[in-house]
Amino acid sequence: MKGFELHEPTSVQEVVGLLDKLGPKAKVLAGGSDLVAGLMKDWVVGKGMPYPEFLIDVTTIPALKGVKPSAGGVAIGATTTLSEVIESKELNDKFPLLTRAAASVASPLIRNFGTIGGNVNQRPRCWFFRGENFNCYKKGGDFCYAVTGDNRYHAVIGGELCYIVHPSDTATALLALNAQAKIAGPGGERMVPFDNYFVGPREDVLRENVLKPNELMTEVVIPTPAAGTKMAWTKLKDRQVYDFAIVSVAVEFTVDGAGKWADGRVVLGGVSPVPYRAAVVETALKGQDVKSAAKQAAAQIRTVARPMSLNSYKVDIAQNLIERTLLQALG
Ligand SMILES: Cc1cc2nc3c(=O)[nH]c(=O)nc-3n(C[C@H](O)[C@H](O)[C@H](O)COP(=O)(O)OP(=O)(O)OC[C@H]3O[C@@H](n4cnc5c(N)ncnc54)[C@H](O)[C@@H]3O)c2cc1C
């Protein structure tokens, strides 16, 4: 592994100043489980991803840590660890969907130092992107090796140019919870709904979210759900020990007095370059009795799926998992 210069700022303003001054070779460092242990040690470099020469450690900034009340909801500081998220009584009471998604991430050891900001902003796990010998689109190359190669874990919806799937379980849950990201940059702070936070390959193949090189995520803010809101999380993995999702499903919805779908979200992980909001399923549920409509609504996912040569099995799993998660949320 190559050397790097470590910075340990004590305020968000200092981080922004450093990122702005040092440019794209400076990266925000949180737990380091992806950036250092993954990308830098595995030498994932290319024209589109220069080797990080400067690491800006944000875990030394007290303001970025912890679960706090926020206008109309709860704010989670970006360096709050996944274990702290899982152990928070407030988050368990209000957003069990998020704490279950966080508990399904990696192993206890990684959750003890991996942060919510790092989890949402981690880079893709695609084995061609991570592989030293593949200069793919994401690294500034001109090919997606998944198109002709082993694509069993790749995108079945929304792939274009590049067929990665977004790896973050908490991002999938946060999109279902209608969360927002607070971002700090040289121009000050801005709030971006998770609906607009993730960037697919057509928009910009070199990144997965709207963050500019001189910006960082400081908080995620989740609105308090209406009374009686139903939510559930399911994740299917290849193996029982820690692993990324083959498919995950996060649902949050309200029903009227007759048990009919009033409003809500159905979000899929592991199927698309961004956490995927299944609008076709939500539309099919509108005004319907959720229990009796779940099967048919889940089948709508087939209308937007475009599987590759080795991954059509994911579409079957997605359909079944959507139905199961909707029924699970009903209790
Ligand atoms: C064996 C293994 C299994 C795993 N399994 C899963 C899994 O099942 N599900 C899952 O979701 N994840 C999984 N992961 C990924 C793991 O959860 C992430 O590596 C971890 O959450 C990243 O957190 P971190 O704090 O260590 O991030 P870092 O490695 O420090 O950072 C990750 C990325 O996010 C950026 N970043 C970090 N904080 C911020 C911020 N505040 N603002 C802007 N950018 C920021 C960094 O620059 C870097 O690019 C697994 C990882 C491993 C190694």
Side-chain angles (χ1 to χ4, degrees), residues 74-107:
V74 172
I76 309 173
T79 64
T80 309
T81 65
L82 295 169
S83 294
E84 287 163 344
V85 167
I86 296 162
E87 284 156 18
S88 157
K89 181 170 176 345
E90 184 168 16
L91 295 179
N92 271 302
D93 288 347
K94 287 189 179 154
F95 313 107
L97 162 54
L98 175 65
T99 54
R100 285 188 196 135
S104 77
V105 170
S107 63

Side-chain angles (χ1 to χ4, degrees), residues 176-230:
L177 290 165
N178 193 17
Q180 300 198 44
K182 191 188 265 187
I183 296 173
E189 283 184 343
R190 62 187 173 121
M191 297 297 292
V192 177
F194 269 60
D195 278 319
N196 304 326
Y197 187 74
F198 301 100
V199 169
R202 180 189 265 280
E203 261 178 276
D204 188 344
V205 76
L206 295 177
R207 58 190 178 140
E208 293 82 45
N209 56 54
V210 296
L211 286 180
K212 299 191 188 99
N214 56 10
E215 292 183 323
L216 77 152
M217 174 191 271
T218 56
E219 280 178 0
V220 295
V221 180
I222 319 176
T224 304
T229 296
K230 302 185 181 310

Side-chain angles (χ1 to χ4, degrees), residues 27-39 58-59 64 78-79 82 101 104-107 110-111 113-123 125 167-171 197 209 211 215-219 235 237 239 242-245:
K27 295 283 174 225
V28 170
L29 171 69
S33 60
D34 181 34
L35 182 57
V36 179
L39 299 171
V58 292
T59 61
L64 291 182
T79 64
L82 295 169
S104 77
V105 170
S107 63
I110 293 170
R111 296 195 295 266
F113 68 95
T115 63
I116 189 111
N119 189 258
V120 168
N121 294 297
Q122 62 178 300
R123 302 302 313 273
R125 303 305 294 193
S168 167
D169 289 321
T170 61
Y197 187 74
N209 56 54
L211 286 180
E215 292 183 323
L216 77 152
M217 174 191 271
T218 56
E219 280 178 0
K235 170 177 171 181
K237 308 178 279 185
R239 46 189 200 152
Y242 56 80
D243 206 352
F244 291 86

Side-chain angles (χ1 to χ4, degrees), residues 45-50 135 138-142 206:
V45 286
K47 275 188 287 181
M49 183 166 171
N135 188 29
K138 277 241 166 268
K139 291 184 277 186
D142 57 2
L206 295 177

